[in-house]
């Protein structure tokens, strides 16, 4: 059961947003006037800030791009319905991870536990002050994870686990998956081949070699405040289903700077590093994969976390830069 949760947490971080049955106050309603103005200004000139499904055309080639959400919500069903005709008639579907990559990752986690866990040296209770460790112990228990297990997690990985609030735990435990999994199911039933946009070890390559102090800084941000986490997830749902993806991403920037105990300088630096590693660098690395697929196929679908679509280095802008004409479908 924990392995399934661990695997889901890894793929949740591959792209935002990730949300589930979280209800309550909306973080957007908690912003002050200055934060609201900053959010509006950040989104005003952002390329392709709105929309979940896009079509790119260049000559006789066509790409359908879908901004996905990685955990199930019933409001995903009509989005799946809108996307299904494109998926089932495509020559190829590109995803962050196909079932083959998920199997490889599961095997890696089972055979090389040091990829996710501290197997030698001091564990987290030794590396953190007592009040911080107690906050973490309470946070993981709220997610039905034993504190002794969390104590041995690599800090970067525990950050992922804590980024998913307790209100999403039931879906994780049930194995419910989001739009990516729906696309995989539809492609499988239609016999459409699938290919990963990147190696399954990408997250390990990004985070594993970070200095321990950087991993712990990331952990402190992920710990946040429980009430704030749920408010952010409610806002995530709200903006995703409003097709307001750019605001969703910039909201994450503001929320990082709003974490208790983290200075504005620390939050700004950490967010910039995360944005570069998780979005910008990966998007740039995906473009040759997409171009290679286009060279061999007339009609492909690219399904990736919604945040990968927006901004100057989003997939949509990168395609426009390469001469593709973009049309919003949803």
């Amino acid at each position: 059961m924990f392995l399934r949760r661990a695997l889901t947490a890894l793929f949740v971080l591959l792209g935002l947003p990730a949300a589930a049955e979280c209800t309550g106050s909306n973080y957007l309603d908690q912003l002050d006037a200055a934060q609201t103005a900053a959010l509006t200004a950040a989104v005003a000139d952002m390329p392709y800030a709105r929309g979940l499904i896009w079509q790119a055309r260049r000559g006789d080639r066509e790409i359908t791009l879908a901004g996905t959400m990685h955990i199930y919500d019933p409001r995903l069903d009509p989005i799946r319905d809108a996307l299904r005709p494109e998926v089932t008639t495509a020559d190829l579907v590109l995803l962050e991870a196909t079932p083959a990559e998920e199997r490889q990752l599961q095997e890696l986690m089972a055979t090389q536990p040091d990829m996710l866990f501290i197997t030698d040296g001091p564990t987290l209770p030794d590396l953190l002050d007592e009040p911080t460790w107690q906050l973490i112990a309470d946070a993981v228990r709220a997610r039905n994870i034993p504190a002794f297990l969390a104590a041995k997690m690599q800090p970067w990985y525990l950050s992922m686990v804590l980024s998913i609030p307790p209100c999403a735990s039931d879906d994780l435990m049930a194995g419910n998956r989001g739009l990516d999994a729906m696309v995989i199911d539809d492609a499988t039933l239609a016999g459409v081949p699938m290919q990963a946009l990147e190696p399954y070890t990408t997250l390990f390559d990004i985070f594993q070699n970070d200095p321990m102090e950087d991993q712990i800084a990331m952990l402190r941000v992920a710990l946040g405040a429980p009430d704030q986490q749920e408010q952010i997830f409610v806002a995530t749902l709200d903006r995703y289903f409003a097709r307001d993806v750019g605001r969703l991403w910039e909201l994450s920037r503001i929320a990082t700077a709003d974490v208790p105990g983290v200075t504005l300088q620390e939050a700004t630096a950490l967010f910039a590093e995360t944005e570069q590693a998780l979005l910008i660098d990966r998007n740039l690395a995906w473009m040759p994969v997409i171009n290679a697929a286009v060279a061999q196929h007339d009609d492909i679908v690219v399904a990736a976390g919604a945040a990968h679509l927006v901004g100057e280095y989003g997939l949509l802008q990168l395609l426009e830069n390469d001469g593709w004409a973009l049309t919003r479908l949803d």
Side-chain angles (χ1 to χ4, degrees):
M1 189 68 74
F2 174 75
L3 188 60
R4 182 170 63 194
R5 178 194 291 269
L7 186 66
T8 303
L10 280 172
F11 283 108
V12 161
L13 194 64
L14 287 170
L16 298 177
E21 292 298 328
C22 298
T23 59
S25 300
N26 189 320
Y27 185 71
L28 285 166
D29 298 332
Q30 316 303 316
L31 301 182
D32 60 31
Q35 290 173 319
T36 300
L39 181 59
T40 300
V43 177
D45 297 321
M46 179 184 291
Y48 300 103
R50 298 186 66 89
L52 294 178
I53 303 176
W54 291 79
Q55 186 178 77
R57 286 186 176 274
R58 190 176 66 185
D60 59 354
R61 307 292 185 178
E62 180 180 301
I63 304 173
T64 300
L65 298 103
T68 63
M69 188 167 94
H70 298 319
I71 296 179
Y72 179 72
D73 183 284
R75 287 171 288 179
L76 287 172
D77 293 334
I79 300 173
R80 177 189 191 174
D81 292 340
L83 188 58
R84 185 184 288 114
E86 306 297 334
V87 172
T88 56
T89 59
D91 300 319
L92 178 70
V93 174
L94 294 175
L95 301 125
E96 294 175 65
T98 73
E101 282 71 38
E102 294 192 9
R103 287 191 296 271
Q104 287 176 304
L105 181 57
Q106 203 163 15
E107 181 179 349
L108 181 72
M109 291 165 59
T111 59
Q112 299 185 42
D114 59 319
M115 300 291 283
L116 293 180
F117 294 93
I118 299 170
T119 56
D120 187 34
T123 58
L124 290 180
D126 303 312
L127 296 169
L128 299 167
D129 59 86
E130 179 63 20
T132 299
W133 168 245
Q134 287 305 321
L135 287 174
I136 290 173
D138 291 341
V140 296
R141 289 189 194 103
R143 293 160 173 81
N144 298 312
I145 298 172
F148 75 85
L149 189 61
K152 299 177 182 179
M153 288 182 183
Q154 298 281 358
W156 69 266
Y157 177 60
L158 182 54
S159 298
M160 295 186 203
V161 174
L162 293 179
S163 72
I164 304 170
C167 57
S169 293
D170 288 345
D171 273 332
L172 286 180
M173 293 297 286
N176 293 334
R177 302 282 296 278
L179 188 58
D180 311 73
M182 295 174 181
V183 169
I184 288 172
D185 289 345
D186 290 338
T188 300
L189 287 173
V192 177
M194 292 174 281
Q195 178 185 327
L197 286 159
E198 62 191 4
Y200 73 97
T201 56
T202 296
L203 278 184
F204 298 108
D205 296 336
I206 290 173
F207 290 117
Q208 195 174 35
N209 295 322
D210 281 354
M212 185 60 72
E213 57 268 25
D214 290 353
Q215 293 188 41
I216 289 176
M218 182 180 177
L219 177 57
R220 292 182 188 277
V221 169
L223 183 60
D227 290 345
Q228 184 189 65
Q229 273 193 329
E230 295 205 9
Q231 290 170 0
I232 291 169
F233 265 62
V234 170
T236 295
L237 283 165
D238 176 71
R239 290 301 89 203
Y240 179 83
F241 289 109
R243 279 62 168 169
D244 194 6
V245 183
R247 193 175 303 271
L248 185 158
W249 180 247
E250 289 302 319
L251 179 65
S252 301
R253 188 189 307 273
I254 291 174
T256 301
D258 209 17
V259 171
V262 177
T263 68
L264 177 61
Q265 182 178 5
E266 290 172 338
T268 301
L270 183 59
F271 190 90
E273 292 172 7
T274 302
E275 182 177 42
Q276 185 72 42
L278 287 183
L279 289 183
I280 296 174
D281 289 348
R282 291 170 69 212
N283 285 352
L284 292 171
W286 291 354
M287 286 303 295
V289 179
I290 294 172
N291 287 331
V294 168
Q296 299 179 38
H297 304 284
D298 295 332
D299 185 359
I300 69 171
V301 171
V302 177
H308 288 284
L309 299 186
V310 304
E312 182 181 358
Y313 293 98
L315 293 177
L316 297 173
Q317 184 62 57
L318 294 175
L319 286 168
E320 183 188 314
N321 295 346
D322 281 350
W324 292 82
L326 278 296
T327 302
R328 180 179 168 184
L329 301 181
D330 187 352

